[in-house]
Amino acid sequence: MTKARTGAALLSLSLDRDGADTLQVQLLTQLRRLILDRMIAPGSKLPSSRTLAEELSVSRVTVSAVIDQLISEGYLEGRARSGVYVEAELPDQVPEMQSGAAPHVDQVRSDIIPERAAPSAPLQPFDTSSPELTLFPYRQWARHHDQTWRRPDAALLSRIDPFGWPPLREAIADHLREWRGLPCTAEQVFITSGVVEAIGLIAGATLSEGDEVLIEEPGYAVLNRAVHHNRLVSVPSPVDQQGLDIKTALQTTPRAKAAIVTPSRHYPLGVTMPLSRRLELIEWAVARNAYVIEDDFDSEYRFQGKPLPAMMSLSNQDRVIYVGSFSKVIFSALRLGFVVFPKSMLPKVRSALPQLDQQASLMLQPVLARFMQSGDFAIHIRRMRRLYAKRQAAVLTAIKLHAADLLIVDPVPAGMHLVASLTPDLQSRMSDTEAVERAKSAGVTVQPLSSFFAGPPVSRGLVMGFAGFSEEHLEKGVRALAAALRA
């Protein structure tokens, strides 16, 4: 039935040789639409490029280029000695292609294989500090940079809106509407250099010196430091398997004026806050005239289905502030992030700007805007999402084969790292900090879960990043880690 359905769908392909678009653009657009509309079923096999070329009376080069492009975008999957299949988990956004803008065959392949690999960084598995850098589309990024600054927009050379470059703010708003279900506009988006500047901006606009702020325990130490830097009082609040529990937190801190949470994917535990807890947080913020600061940590890398809707999309009470960053999606050296404020807060934010030292690079903002508007950003996310899912599977398999007596770890539905608990036998012999030191001596980098606690740790384990390493490198890392822990 699936084969017959696929054949029937392909019969609907119609290429106009006298049309404004090239045959390659027409075929790419029509195949992509058939896949997204499920006219070609997920998981079904496509005819060979030779067969398709013959049936459509086009060159095999044209068909091969289109198939390569759809593989790079995440719509198709090539399997060795088997053929090309429609992805079982389909992408959730269609990149736009302007009329007549068909990529040249060489350009299609360069979108999969960069012109040159990024310089290798001195990273060891399982360092959590970096995404995969060698597969970033540097050629496309360089093209957008060249197009931006060869003949720069006159507005770039004058005084721009202190909220940031307007086209980038528009691109971010579009991305959030499509990927995170967040109905925001460009006027609500403020460009920052990252989460530290974001917390400073929010504090200046909404909080007063000495206000208590709930932070997750365990949690991200940078957030804790940013809270203290802005003369606020951070109050660590325990996180369980459903994230931060506001009812429990308020038993010790009833006067809190804000809560910083990572509801889509807690860092480092990786748990997702359910709808009931999210609504409780919003209800608390409305009732107490407080704010929920939603740090959307690496939410794009969800391996099954669409990323979850942002918490801010649940609220119409102007009590949730959304914080995002490009450091995990692109690379940390970019140093660009953003804040989405409720519309009612915008006058307060603009009045606070003169007291702030804005740090976001203007040079890179228009380049990132072009990168996002072209569809290259969405394609890169989808490609990395598929790659990271495979790398997580490689780590899990390696631990099962080589370290099942040492580490307990479960798969996670999103993200770039895992948390492995020490087995009871291993815990009886060493702490997670000692395990980290042993791993270091074997050339393996892991982080102790205990170091993510502001207070005494209540759980211990190893935080293991997998995004920036090949499957072979990860397997070798697990074997080296297991040997070090057994020594």
Side-chain angles (χ1 to χ4, degrees), residues 466-482:
F466 54 78
F469 309 94
S470 69
E471 294 175 32
E472 180 183 7
H473 207 180
L474 292 169
E475 197 271 341
K476 290 180 179 179
V478 170
R479 285 195 280 110
L481 174 62

Side-chain angles (χ1 to χ4, degrees), residues 121-133:
L123 296 177
Q124 298 173 319
F126 302 87
D127 196 307
T128 62
S129 65
S130 177
E132 172 57 73
L133 296 177

Side-chain angles (χ1 to χ4, degrees), residues 145-209:
H145 191 283
D146 181 66
Q147 291 171 347
T148 297
W149 291 108
R150 178 173 292 183
R151 293 181 180 178
D153 189 315
L156 278 171
L157 307 179
S158 59
R159 189 177 184 87
I160 70 166
D161 190 316
F163 267 47
W165 180 236
L168 176 57
R169 294 161 60 200
E170 187 68 51
I172 291 172
D174 290 343
H175 174 76
L176 294 176
R177 283 194 299 270
E178 294 171 1
W179 286 66
R180 307 295 290 115
L182 183 55
C184 63
T185 62
E187 70 170 332
Q188 297 172 253
V189 178
F190 185 99
I191 307 301
T192 72
S193 62
V195 68
V196 174
E197 184 181 358
I199 297 300
L201 175 64
I202 294 168
T206 65
L207 302 172
S208 302
E209 182 175 342

Side-chain angles (χ1 to χ4, degrees), residues 29-105:
T29 302
Q30 292 182 40
L31 270 178
R32 190 191 285 131
R33 179 50 58 192
L34 288 175
I35 293 170
L36 283 175
D37 290 344
R38 270 56 174 183
M39 298 300 292
I40 303 177
S44 60
K45 183 179 181 180
L46 290 187
S48 68
S49 59
R50 184 186 301 277
T51 300
L52 270 178
E54 290 175 353
E55 291 180 354
L56 297 171
S57 298
V58 297
S59 73
R60 191 177 177 186
V61 171
T62 296
V63 174
S64 296
V66 169
I67 290 175
D68 285 343
Q69 181 69 14
L70 290 174
I71 289 174
S72 75
E73 292 178 6
Y75 293 92
L76 301 177
E77 176 187 12
R79 300 178 188 173
R81 297 182 296 279
S82 180
V84 176
Y85 294 77
V86 177
E87 273 288 342
E89 291 289 338
L90 292 176
D92 41 308
Q93 182 182 11
V94 184
E96 296 181 0
M97 181 174 289
Q98 296 177 352
S99 177
H104 185 274
V105 175

